[in-house]
């Protein structure tokens, strides 16, 4: 037994709490570096002369956004400007009736919006999340209000044993598993390669790609013909991001993993696809960017604003529902707010 294994937390909840503390430590170190490098820099003035593009039948929040910085892992309940996840314009039609689904990172952001629409389409939903208990409980209430059953599974997707246990809990609760959504992520910017520590690099890769691998491996024995895996990629995996070197690399790996696994599982009738969002207003980014930077988040897209989670979640329904996408596998679907981005 190694010294580190002697002191490792012994339960999934304890390991999740330790990971949340580790992520806060990484964030605090980067915050100090940002302050030393840019102590007096203000949020840049808007360079856009046109109004941002509207959302589904209504205007959407646009820069300047609240200059708020969240402590990691980031709580939606603490956001001054709440993300829009309800999708009141979206009417369910039973596309996922009887489905059992598991969403990692399902407590908030895109994951919460997907959970709501899955339930609206008739699915039961399991939410795997790190330690954001208030957000997770709110998501469960939303799923149940849509008529779906919901269970909450706190833990760290970097832990293969947790992933296997989470899948077992889903099968025990719902009797089966039809759709896995890999969505949990860690993101922290670094202004240079020199500033990117091995500890941070490992945290990003172990969460964003190892976590997807562990969950897919655990889920596979329970998936059958017509079932699917949906991975959350990113526009950064399509064209990179100069301050998100490790995050961009993991998202590129997720896109390649998606295509390769789709090929691998095609003969078994299991579809594997990915969604690659651009900037989306979720806790992930205010928990990364400095307040002066988050104020202009999403402004440089052709749409002139970040997406709301409810503008991304219908894509997950589309890829999960055999009635919509039975002939689609190995696709990375870009929803980036820009013309020209592609897989």
């Amino acid at each position: 037994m190694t010294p580190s294994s002697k002191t490792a937390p012994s339960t999934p909840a304890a390991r999740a709490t330790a990971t949340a503390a580790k992520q806060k430590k990484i964030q605090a170190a980067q915050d100090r570096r940002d302050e030393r490098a840019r102590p007096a820099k203000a949020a840049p003035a808007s360079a856009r002369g046109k109004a941002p593009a509207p959302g589904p039948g209504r205007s959407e929040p646009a820069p300047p956004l609240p200059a708020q910085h969240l402590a990691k892992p980031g709580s939606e309940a603490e956001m001054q400007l709440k993300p829009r996840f309800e999708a009141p314009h979206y009417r369910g039609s039973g596309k996922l009736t009887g489905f059992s689904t598991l969403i990692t990172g399902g407590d908030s952001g895109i994951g919460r919006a997907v959970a709501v629409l899955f339930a609206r389409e008739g699915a039961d939903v399991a939410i795997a999340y790190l330690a954001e208990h208030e957000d997770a409980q709110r998501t469960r209430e939303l799923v149940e209000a849509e008529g779906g059953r919901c269970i909450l599974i706190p833990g760290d997707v970097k832990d293969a044993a947790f992933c296997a246990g989470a899948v077992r809990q889903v099968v025990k609760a719902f009797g089966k598993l039809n759709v896995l959504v890999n969505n949990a992520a860690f993101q922290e910017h670094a202004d240079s390669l020199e500033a990117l520590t091995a500890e941070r690099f490992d945290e990003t890769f172990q969460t964003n790609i190892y976590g997807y691998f562990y969950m897919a491996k655990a889920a596979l024995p329970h998936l059958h013909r017509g079932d699917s895996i949906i991975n959350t990629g990113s526009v950064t995996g399509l064209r990179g991001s100069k301050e998100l070197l490790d995050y961009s690399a993991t998202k590129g790996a997720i896109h390649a993993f998606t295509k390769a696994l789709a090929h691998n599982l095609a003969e078994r009738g299991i579809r594997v696809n990915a969604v690659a969002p651009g900037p989306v207003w979720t806790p992930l980014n205010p928990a990364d960017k400095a307040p002066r930077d988050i104020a202009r988040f999403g402004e440089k897209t052709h749409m002139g604003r970040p997406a709301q989670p409810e503008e991304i979640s219908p894509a997950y329904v589309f890829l999960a529902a055999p009635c919509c996408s039975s002939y689609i596998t190995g696709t990375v679907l870009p929803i980036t707010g820009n013309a020209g981005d592609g897989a």
Side-chain angles (χ1 to χ4, degrees):
M1 180 178 289
T2 65
S4 60
S5 65
K6 291 179 181 178
T7 58
S10 58
T11 68
R15 287 192 289 271
T17 300
T19 289
K22 179 181 180 181
Q23 292 181 0
K24 285 183 174 69
K25 179 181 176 183
I26 291 172
Q27 179 189 41
Q30 184 61 47
D31 288 349
R32 289 192 295 269
R33 184 180 180 89
D34 289 346
E35 285 303 311
R36 290 194 299 269
R38 301 180 293 180
K41 184 177 178 182
S46 175
R48 291 187 60 86
K50 297 181 180 179
R58 63 182 179 184
S59 61
E60 299 290 348
L65 301 168
Q68 182 183 16
H69 189 47
L70 298 176
K72 287 192 178 299
S75 170
E76 191 158 318
E78 296 176 3
M79 294 179 73
Q80 294 172 12
L81 176 63
K82 304 300 184 186
R84 292 180 172 178
F85 57 83
E86 303 96 332
H89 55 281
Y90 184 102
R91 295 186 179 182
S93 58
K95 295 182 184 69
L96 300 176
T97 297
F99 275 52
S100 167
T101 65
L102 169 60
I103 305 170
T104 72
D107 55 291
S108 63
I110 292 173
R112 170 183 284 181
V114 172
V116 168
L117 288 198
F118 276 12
R120 193 171 299 171
E121 289 290 359
D124 294 320
V125 184
I127 301 298
Y129 68 100
L130 186 61
E132 307 91 325
H133 303 297
E134 182 179 358
D135 283 350
Q137 179 58 41
R138 176 58 178 151
T139 302
R140 178 163 65 182
E141 293 170 357
L142 293 162
V143 168
E144 291 174 346
E146 296 286 349
R149 292 181 293 173
C150 185
I151 61 171
L152 303 181
I153 311 173
D156 188 356
V157 296
K158 301 197 310 290
D159 179 2
F162 164 72
C163 294
V167 170
R168 286 195 297 269
Q169 288 186 56
V170 176
V171 174
K172 181 178 179 180
F174 302 148
K176 58 182 178 177
L177 177 62
N178 302 110
V179 179
L180 167 67
V181 176
N182 276 317
N183 177 68
F186 174 76
Q187 173 185 312
E188 180 67 25
H189 69 281
D191 54 5
S192 66
L193 183 60
E194 292 86 348
L196 182 58
T197 65
E199 178 188 36
R200 186 188 305 186
F201 193 85
D202 286 345
E203 184 72 12
T204 308
F205 265 81
Q206 288 171 9
T207 302
N208 297 5
I209 186 63
Y210 277 61
Y212 282 33
F213 163 72
Y214 292 146
M215 273 292 180
K217 193 174 179 66
L220 187 56
H222 303 280
L223 298 177
H224 301 93
R225 300 185 72 82
D227 294 339
S228 68
I229 296 171
I230 306 171
N231 298 320
T232 299
S234 171
V235 66
T236 66
L238 299 174
R239 51 185 170 87
S241 175
K242 73 177 206 175
E243 290 191 339
L244 295 173
L245 297 169
D246 52 342
Y247 183 82
S248 298
T250 62
K251 292 301 181 175
I254 288 166
H255 297 170
F257 178 61
T258 297
K259 292 174 180 289
L261 188 58
H263 193 183
N264 185 271
L265 297 181
E267 291 184 357
R268 296 165 68 169
I270 299 168
R271 296 174 295 107
V272 186
N273 293 289
V275 177
V280 186
W281 188 243
T282 76
L284 185 70
N285 287 287
D288 172 21
K289 295 179 178 293
R292 55 184 166 259
D293 295 325
I294 201 64
R296 296 298 173 190
F297 179 61
E299 186 180 55
K300 293 182 179 179
T301 66
H302 294 164
M303 296 295 191
R305 61 172 178 84
Q308 291 294 322
E310 67 183 11
E311 296 180 286
I312 308 298
S313 53
Y316 289 79
V317 174
F318 171 75
L319 293 173
C323 65
C324 297
S325 58
S326 61
Y327 202 63
I328 299 175
T329 195
T331 290
V332 177
L333 176 60
I335 311 177
T336 64
N338 286 303
D341 284 328

